[in-house]
Amino acid sequence: MAGFQGRLASAAPGITASPAGTTEPFTTMGPWPIPTINTALLLSSGVTLTIAHHALIAGHRAKTVMWMWITVILGATFLGFQAYEYAHAYSELNLKLSSGIYGSTFFMLTGFHGFHVFVGMTMLLVITLRIMKGHFTPTHHFGFEGAAWYWHFVDVVWLGLYIVVYWM
């Protein structure tokens, strides 16, 4: 095809739309401030979970419970910021699932991750309640470790998403 140029149609810097006018112009999501705050929240939650794990191994149940509650709260705060980010994207950036490949990819990747944060946070909540009831000992706490592995995996996946979705 002579003269064909493959490029993303742009109404202005950072504003994209389809050449045929089938997609309304929208603004892409940048890394600041909410995604960066969410990154700090998840990384902090990994630290608080690790502190809780060391406290559990040392036999300090009250300290373990405190750090677990902080971890659960950080996870819930992440989800709250993600909900706010979605509302901002929809109302102020005109970013929707129907905003072409960018919109559908953005919501699919971040939404799927948000679902996994919700599952992990629920697991950590159940583990916290079980710790409060004395179900785990310094030597027998595989349920705790399984939930912690899952949470740390969710953290690592977020770091990849943060770079790919918000910076690239």
Side-chain angles (χ1 to χ4, degrees), residues 41 70-82 117 121 151:
L41 287 169
I70 292 170
T71 304
V72 170
I73 290 167
L74 288 169
T77 305
F78 175 93
L79 291 175
F81 272 112
Q82 188 172 25
V117 169
M121 186 190 66
W151 191 254

Side-chain angles (χ1 to χ4, degrees), residues 8-157:
L8 184 62
S10 180
I15 308 287
T16 59
S18 67
T22 57
T23 303
E24 296 177 24
F26 63 91
T27 305
T28 58
M29 184 66 69
W32 187 257
I34 297 170
T36 302
I37 292 169
N38 266 349
T39 301
L41 287 169
L42 276 187
L43 293 177
S44 298
S45 72
V47 171
T48 59
L49 181 59
T50 301
I51 294 170
H53 188 207
H54 287 285
L56 179 62
I57 291 170
H60 303 298
R61 189 166 67 184
K63 186 176 175 183
T64 303
V65 169
M66 178 191 72
W67 286 108
M68 287 298 291
W69 277 115
I70 292 170
T71 304
V72 170
I73 290 167
L74 288 169
T77 305
F78 175 93
L79 291 175
F81 272 112
Q82 188 172 25
Y84 177 79
E85 177 186 45
Y86 277 17
H88 168 72
Y90 184 83
S91 64
E92 296 176 36
L93 303 179
N94 200 36
L95 182 59
K96 304 172 184 162
L97 276 172
S98 61
S99 297
I101 191 69
Y102 180 83
S104 58
T105 302
F106 172 80
F107 285 109
M108 177 63 189
L109 290 175
T110 59
F112 199 55
H113 180 267
F115 171 75
H116 283 86
V117 169
F118 176 77
V119 169
M121 186 190 66
T122 303
M123 289 173 18
L124 293 174
L125 176 63
V126 170
I127 293 297
T128 302
L129 297 173
R130 291 190 62 198
I131 291 168
M132 292 172 72
K133 292 183 180 243
H135 292 181
F136 297 111
T137 68
T139 57
H140 292 90
H141 54 268
F142 181 76
F144 177 98
E145 288 188 352
W149 292 340
Y150 182 86
W151 191 254
H152 289 308
F153 178 74
V154 168
D155 283 352
V156 170
V157 168

